[in-house]
């Protein structure tokens, strides 16, 4: 068809033709035939509008997560600008992968690396299949991460001092984990065995790397605390930092140290970089305690886009990462200088912790911790050679929700809730409830639960008593409507809306070695609404074993709970001996 004939067609028809041509060549930048059509047709070139670009975007990239997380506020203009930004980064990723580590830090500058890794990271947590095709099938992301590992991670692994936690390193570790097929020992680690030293350092050097964006021992982080004589959201960050016996480098993250603005869907987005320690935990467990073998991603083995097709294609669902998105975007207060993004909701999906979790409780060598914390040995070699033990544990957990989320405002249906509590149906102990409002949080070493708390399990809930007041927390069930049970408001971070209870049970393969949590040991804990951080107080059946706190986040659609444990014998802000755990839903 000649150019004149094309110009005779209605613009809407030409737009459909152009979008269809793009759909026939979805991998990589819009195909040349599509580009030629834009150049040869005066009508469509004149109307090369955001509408056409938005159609092409939806052909080439996944949009379900974008629409869901931005609550539908996605216009053609937004997608038009994002299409241009993504292909600018993906072209650069492909070039950096082909050029190899020699151009990194020189022709490929740090600013470009950070921008490109953010694009890749966000594309992967939005992936429903199309984003993977572009990143791995066209942009050669595995080879890109191989080049990055050679340029940065391998040198950092070979040093004596602990590596600094930088934005690009956090993103690089997460991309390395995402490309590991989520479950397996990496070939890249086999190629560079020193990387295991890096994973171990980020995992066990708890005094240097944060396990949450806000200090774990603060239940209501600064942006949720009600200040009296200061601006909203302000706080003395020195009061939030851990107590340290000496100056240590690098210091942990604090609120203003890690906020970053990224261009996203044509607007600045304030987002916290994902925690390097969590990615390192995943990589550490994959290496030391791997799950049953699966086909792992061949990182860096392909040097061309065609060979990259052999890389395993994970069966991802972007909804698995909605809570992660909410956690990262909620970790920093909104700024009046930028257009606020719609809130993604609670950074924890109700019901996620209900069920049976089984996994490993890793115990690091105490002498190594003592020597490193006292500054007597070089950290990296010491951790690399340290003895590591692991115990298997299995826990059966339940979530219990308070009818209201604040003591300052009653539940909108308080009268109906109280009538239900006192009704003759069900367990008569429900009549003991005197309120629908939650209690304020307690000390960190008590898993933030109120002091002098008494719990009594009844068939349909948990009676929670403090002093003379009793509140019936309803136990979560699959049919549970959490909106009725947790009336979310912005000022409820000081109150314990969710109480988790549970018991240790027999692991599937039995107890093959000693454990500190024998079947019958009890658990109780809280979930921090700001970022979904879980703090669990574990009381072993054998009281001589001591008591422990498990602190971490749920990842991978709530199927993996990963974090650190610590004892209750020191101040919450003190430097203490800590280990790792990873519990997976069974």
């Amino acid at each position: 068809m000649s150019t004149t004939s094309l110009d005779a067609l209605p613009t809407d028809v030409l737009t459909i033709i152009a979008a269809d041509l793009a759909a026939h060549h979805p991998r990589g930048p819009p195909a040349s035939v599509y580009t030629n059509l834009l150049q040869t047709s005066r009508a469509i070139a004149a109307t090369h509008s955001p509408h056409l670009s938005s159609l092409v975007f939806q052909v080439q990239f996944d949009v379900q997560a974008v629409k869901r997380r931005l609550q539908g506020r996605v216009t053609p203009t937004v997608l038009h600008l994002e299409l241009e930004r993504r292909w600018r980064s993906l072209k650069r990723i492909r070039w950096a992968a082909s050029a190899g580590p020699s151009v990194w830090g020189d022709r490929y500058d740090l600013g470009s690396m950070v921008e490109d890794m953010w694009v890749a990271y966000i594309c992967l947590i939005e992936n429903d299949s199309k984003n993977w095709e572009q990143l791995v099938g066209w942009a050669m992301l595995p080879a890109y991460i191989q080049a990055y590992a050679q340029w940065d991670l391998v040198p950092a692994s070979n040093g004596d001092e602990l590596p600094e936690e930088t934005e690009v390193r956090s993103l690089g570790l997460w991309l390395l984990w995402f490309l590991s097929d989520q479950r397996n020992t990496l070939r890249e680690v086999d190629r560079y065995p020193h990387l295991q030293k890096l994973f171990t350092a980020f995992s066990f050097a708890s005094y240097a790397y944060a396990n949450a964006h806000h200090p774990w021992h603060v239940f209501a982080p600064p942006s949720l605390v009600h200040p009296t004589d200061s601006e909203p959201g302000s706080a003395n960050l020195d009061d939030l930092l851990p107590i340290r016996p000496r100056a240590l480098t690098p210091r942990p993250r604090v609120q203003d140290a890690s906020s970053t603005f990224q261009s996203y869907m044509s607007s600045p987005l304030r987002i916290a970089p994902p925690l390097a320690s969590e990615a390192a935990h995943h990589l550490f467990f994959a290496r030391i305690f791997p799950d049953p073998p699966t086909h792992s991603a061949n990182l860096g083995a392909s040097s061309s886009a065609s060979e990259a097709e052999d890389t395993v294609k994970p069966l991802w669902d972007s909804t698995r990462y909605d809570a992660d998105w909410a956690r990262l975007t909620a970790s920093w207060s909104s700024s009046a200088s930028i257009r606020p993004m719609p809130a993604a909701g609670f950074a924890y999906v109700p019901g996620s912790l209900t069920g049976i979790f089984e996994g490993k409780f890793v115990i690091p060598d105490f002498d190594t911790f003592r020597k490193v914390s006292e500054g007597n040995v070089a950290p990296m070699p010491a951790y690399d050679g340290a003895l590591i033990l692991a115990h298997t544990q299995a826990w059966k957990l339940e979530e219990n929700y308070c009818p209201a989320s604040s003591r300052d405002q009653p539940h909108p249906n308080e009268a109906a809730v109280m009538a239900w509590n006192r009704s003759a149906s069900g367990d008569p102990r429900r009549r003991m409830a005197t309120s629908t409002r939650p209690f304020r949080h307690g000390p960190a070493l008590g898993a933030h639960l109120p002091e002098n708390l008494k719990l009594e399990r009844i068939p349909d809930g948990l009676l929670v008593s403090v002093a003379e007041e009793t509140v019936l927390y309803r136990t979560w069930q699959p049919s549970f409507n959490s909106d009725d049970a947790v009336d979310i408001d912005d000022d409820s971070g000081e109150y314990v809306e969710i109480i988790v209870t549970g018991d240790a049970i027999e692991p599937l393969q039995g107890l093959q070695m000693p454990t500190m949590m024998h079947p019958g040991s009890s658990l109780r804990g809280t979930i921090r609404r700001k970022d979904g951080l879980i703090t669990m107080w574990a009381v072993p059946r054998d009281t001589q074993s001591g008591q422990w706190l498990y602190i971490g986040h749920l990842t991978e659609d709530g199927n993996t709970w990963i974090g650190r444990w610590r004892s209750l014998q020191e101040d919450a802000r003190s430097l203490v001996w800590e280990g790792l755990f990873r519990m997976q839903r069974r």
Side-chain angles (χ1 to χ4, degrees):
M1 183 177 289
S2 66
T3 302
T4 303
S5 300
L6 286 174
D7 289 339
L9 294 174
T11 302
D12 290 347
V13 174
L14 287 170
T15 300
I16 294 173
I17 293 173
D20 187 64
L21 287 170
H24 278 79
H25 304 274
R27 180 182 288 184
S32 58
V33 64
Y34 160 83
T35 305
N36 291 338
L37 180 61
L38 295 182
Q39 295 173 345
T40 57
S41 169
R42 290 192 302 273
I44 198 168
T47 60
H48 184 201
S49 64
H51 175 65
L52 175 57
S53 293
S54 70
L55 294 177
V56 175
F57 185 98
Q58 293 176 73
V59 165
Q60 296 192 315
F61 294 98
D62 295 300
V63 294
Q64 296 95 317
V66 176
K67 293 179 178 179
R68 187 171 61 251
R69 294 168 189 171
L70 300 188
Q71 300 178 2
R73 290 170 52 181
V74 182
T75 66
T77 299
V78 165
L79 294 181
H80 166 71
L81 296 174
E82 183 68 11
L83 182 70
E84 294 180 346
R85 185 180 77 94
R86 289 196 181 184
W87 280 120
R88 182 171 63 249
S89 278
L90 265 61
K91 289 176 182 178
R92 209 157 45 204
I93 288 173
R94 182 182 170 98
W95 165 78
S98 299
S102 61
V103 302
W104 288 64
D106 182 16
R107 293 166 59 195
Y108 189 38
D109 62 86
L110 183 61
S112 297
M113 289 180 216
V114 171
E115 180 181 1
D116 296 345
M117 285 193 183
W118 266 116
V119 168
Y121 177 83
I122 290 178
C123 279
L124 286 177
I125 65 173
E126 292 176 354
N127 178 52
D128 286 302
S129 70
K130 295 177 183 178
N131 291 358
W132 179 267
E133 289 291 332
Q134 304 296 3
L135 285 167
V136 176
W138 187 84
M140 300 165 55
L141 187 62
Y144 175 86
I145 291 301
Q146 179 199 8
Y148 167 69
Q150 291 177 288
W151 174 74
D152 181 46
L153 297 184
V154 172
S157 300
N158 291 329
D160 287 340
E161 296 301 318
L162 293 173
E164 183 182 357
E165 182 176 11
T166 63
E167 187 173 8
V168 70
R169 197 166 282 162
S170 297
L171 292 166
L173 286 170
W174 272 102
L175 294 177
L176 188 61
W177 168 242
F178 284 153
L179 290 175
S180 71
D181 191 26
Q182 305 288 301
R183 295 290 185 277
N184 210 7
T185 302
L186 306 178
R187 293 187 189 180
E188 193 62 38
V189 177
D190 294 330
R191 181 174 298 184
Y192 302 111
H194 290 300
L195 284 185
Q196 181 57 37
K197 294 170 60 178
L198 189 74
F199 305 155
T200 302
F202 271 111
S203 298
F204 287 103
S206 57
Y207 56 83
Y209 308 112
N211 63 347
H213 291 96
H214 296 279
W216 74 268
H217 53 82
V218 180
F219 189 71
S223 60
L224 289 182
V225 170
H226 297 290
T228 54
D229 299 320
S230 57
E231 292 297 320
S234 65
N236 183 357
L237 293 179
D238 290 336
D239 294 337
L240 305 180
L241 290 174
I243 299 171
R244 300 173 186 277
R246 63 185 181 86
L248 295 169
T249 301
R251 293 176 65 81
R253 296 179 187 269
V254 294
Q255 184 174 11
D256 291 335
S258 218
S259 59
T260 179
F261 289 98
Q262 295 298 320
S263 175
Y264 178 72
M265 295 297 160
S266 78
S267 292
L269 171 69
R270 193 169 190 181
I271 186 170
L275 293 168
S277 61
E278 287 191 348
H281 290 180
H282 284 298
L283 291 161
F284 171 85
F285 277 105
R287 177 66 172 170
I288 303 298
F289 305 107
D291 294 327
T294 60
H295 177 60
S296 62
N298 187 3
L299 297 188
S302 58
S303 58
S304 68
S306 61
E307 292 175 356
E309 293 182 20
D310 294 333
T311 303
V312 66
K313 298 178 181 179
L315 299 176
W316 275 6
D317 176 353
S318 62
T319 59
R320 296 175 60 186
Y321 297 96
D322 283 350
D324 296 82
W325 166 267
R327 170 155 52 101
L328 297 180
T329 55
S331 290
W332 313 106
S333 303
S334 299
S335 170
S337 64
I338 66 171
R339 191 187 80 186
M341 287 285 186
F346 203 18
Y348 178 85
V349 178
S352 295
L353 205 58
T354 294
I356 297 175
F357 285 77
E358 183 169 331
K360 292 287 194 301
F361 173 100
V362 180
I363 305 173
D365 180 60
F366 180 79
D367 285 340
T368 301
F369 162 78
R370 179 180 53 79
K371 291 175 183 178
V372 171
S373 61
E374 292 175 353
N376 296 330
V377 296
M380 291 293 280
Y383 281 120
D384 184 46
L387 176 66
I388 297 173
L389 299 176
H391 292 178
T392 299
Q393 299 183 80
W395 296 352
K396 184 177 182 180
L397 303 172
E398 289 185 330
E399 297 175 17
N400 306 278
Y401 286 78
C402 187
S405 60
S406 172
R407 294 190 68 82
D408 301 325
Q409 297 180 356
H411 189 277
N413 298 316
E414 183 164 15
V417 172
M418 291 302 296
W420 181 84
N421 288 345
R422 298 183 179 122
S423 66
S425 61
D427 195 297
R429 287 174 293 177
R430 293 189 314 194
R431 302 179 185 181
M432 296 171 58
T434 59
S435 172
T436 65
R437 308 183 191 188
F439 299 102
R440 288 183 182 274
H441 68 85
L445 291 180
H448 304 290
L449 291 164
E451 294 185 275
N452 302 316
L453 182 75
K454 295 180 180 179
L455 303 178
E456 182 179 359
R457 166 64 56 198
I458 63 174
D460 47 10
L462 184 71
L463 287 169
V464 182
S465 301
V466 177
E468 301 299 321
E469 187 173 359
T470 299
V471 178
L472 176 58
Y473 280 58
R474 298 187 186 179
T475 301
W476 188 90
Q477 299 294 337
S479 59
F480 189 70
N481 184 349
S482 61
D483 292 336
D484 293 338
V486 183
D487 183 25
I488 303 298
D489 71 61
D490 292 336
D491 299 325
S492 61
E494 298 176 54
Y495 306 102
V496 179
E497 302 168 72
I498 308 173
I499 294 179
V500 182
T501 57
D503 300 285
I505 62 174
E506 186 84 6
L508 281 177
Q509 297 181 351
L511 291 173
Q512 300 176 351
M513 62 185 305
T515 178
M516 285 185 277
M517 290 293 290
H518 290 279
S521 301
S522 64
L523 302 128
R524 59 175 65 178
T526 58
I527 300 171
R528 189 166 69 181
R529 76 159 11 254
K530 181 70 172 179
D531 57 0
L533 183 70
I534 302 162
T535 304
M536 193 75 70
W537 181 1
V539 181
R541 188 184 65 189
D542 177 8
T543 57
Q544 295 182 351
S545 298
Q547 298 182 12
W548 311 92
L549 285 182
Y550 288 72
I551 306 159
H553 295 101
L554 283 175
T555 63
E556 299 181 332
D557 196 22
N559 289 318
T560 303
W561 179 24
I562 196 163
R564 298 180 187 148
W565 59 262
R566 56 160 287 157
S567 73
L568 277 67
Q569 298 176 356
E570 302 288 343
D571 182 274
R573 296 189 298 146
S574 295
L575 174 63
V576 297
W577 181 52
E578 291 186 339
L580 305 181
F581 70 90
R582 181 181 65 168
M583 308 285 283
Q584 294 181 292
R585 186 182 299 279
R586 80 179 196 194

